[in-house]
Amino acid sequence: MTDPSAPFSRVRIRVGALVFSGQDVALIRRGRPTGSHYTPPGGNVDHGEDLIDALHRELAEELKLAPGDGSAPELCWIQDQMVTRPGPTPPPRKIHMIFRIHITPEVRARLATVEHDELADGSTELGIIEWVNYQKAGDLPLFPLIGDAISALPAPDAPSKNPLLPPVTDQNYTWV
């Protein structure tokens, strides 16, 4: 039996989406003590929740993007994360599943420009929705570590080459 108090003994699944409008992709920018930090819209999958339902729920919460307002979600990448982090609970192992969705400029104009992430203590953290040229994603502090894979795409709708990205560990990432 696995010891639940041991680091990485729990596994969480996180779904995220690269929401493209033309050459731009939506990313959420959050302030950190070390500077800005970016993430694709998304979040943890609830116990027993379907992956695509979780993705639609997170996109509705963070971007106000309704199911059917974009293309069908396409799984692009999977990234395994085992990173030590501060706090009283042991860090989980997290599996990031990154999907891609395309939307029209008309849909983009209706989407949220800010996102309020609910924290464990009941407070919220402000995130700014930024539309970034996808080829510049590799230059950003983006988590999970998908920036190079995004910017390497020859076009926003080009097939992703290898769906399994290198893992995120304490050797290549420091928790911010």
Side-chain angles (χ1 to χ4, degrees), residues 69-132:
D69 276 351
S71 62
E74 170 197 359
L75 181 61
C76 290
W77 297 294
I78 299 170
Q79 190 165 53
D80 190 2
Q81 169 198 324
M82 287 189 285
V83 176
T84 307
R85 65 177 193 195
T89 58
R93 180 178 192 173
K94 195 166 280 194
I95 306 299
H96 297 270
M97 301 185 74
I98 307 298
F99 293 83
R100 173 173 38 194
I101 294 174
H102 295 275
I103 62 170
T104 65
E106 293 78 23
V107 169
R108 175 180 170 173
R110 308 192 303 259
L111 297 182
T113 57
V114 296
E115 185 264 341
H116 298 274
D117 195 23
E118 191 174 321
L119 302 176
D121 65 3
S123 64
T124 59
E125 177 184 44
L126 179 67
I128 307 299
I129 311 300
E130 288 189 11
W131 290 88
V132 178

Side-chain angles (χ1 to χ4, degrees), residues 8-99:
F8 316 119
S9 60
R10 295 174 297 123
V11 178
R12 298 293 317 249
I13 298 173
R14 183 184 190 281
V15 291
L18 302 172
V19 178
F20 281 93
S21 178
Q23 300 286 308
D24 294 337
V25 63
L27 298 174
I28 300 174
R29 179 178 50 85
R30 299 185 196 292
R32 294 287 187 264
T34 57
S36 292
H37 172 78
Y38 292 82
T39 60
N44 291 327
V45 176
D46 293 333
H47 180 73
E49 186 176 25
D50 177 84
L51 295 173
I52 299 301
D53 291 345
L55 183 67
H56 286 308
R57 175 181 51 78
E58 288 290 343
L59 293 175
E61 289 173 7
E62 296 184 355
L63 294 181
K64 308 298 182 226
L65 180 66
D69 276 351
S71 62
E74 170 197 359
L75 181 61
C76 290
W77 297 294
I78 299 170
Q79 190 165 53
D80 190 2
Q81 169 198 324
M82 287 189 285
V83 176
T84 307
R85 65 177 193 195
T89 58
R93 180 178 192 173
K94 195 166 280 194
I95 306 299
H96 297 270
M97 301 185 74
I98 307 298
F99 293 83

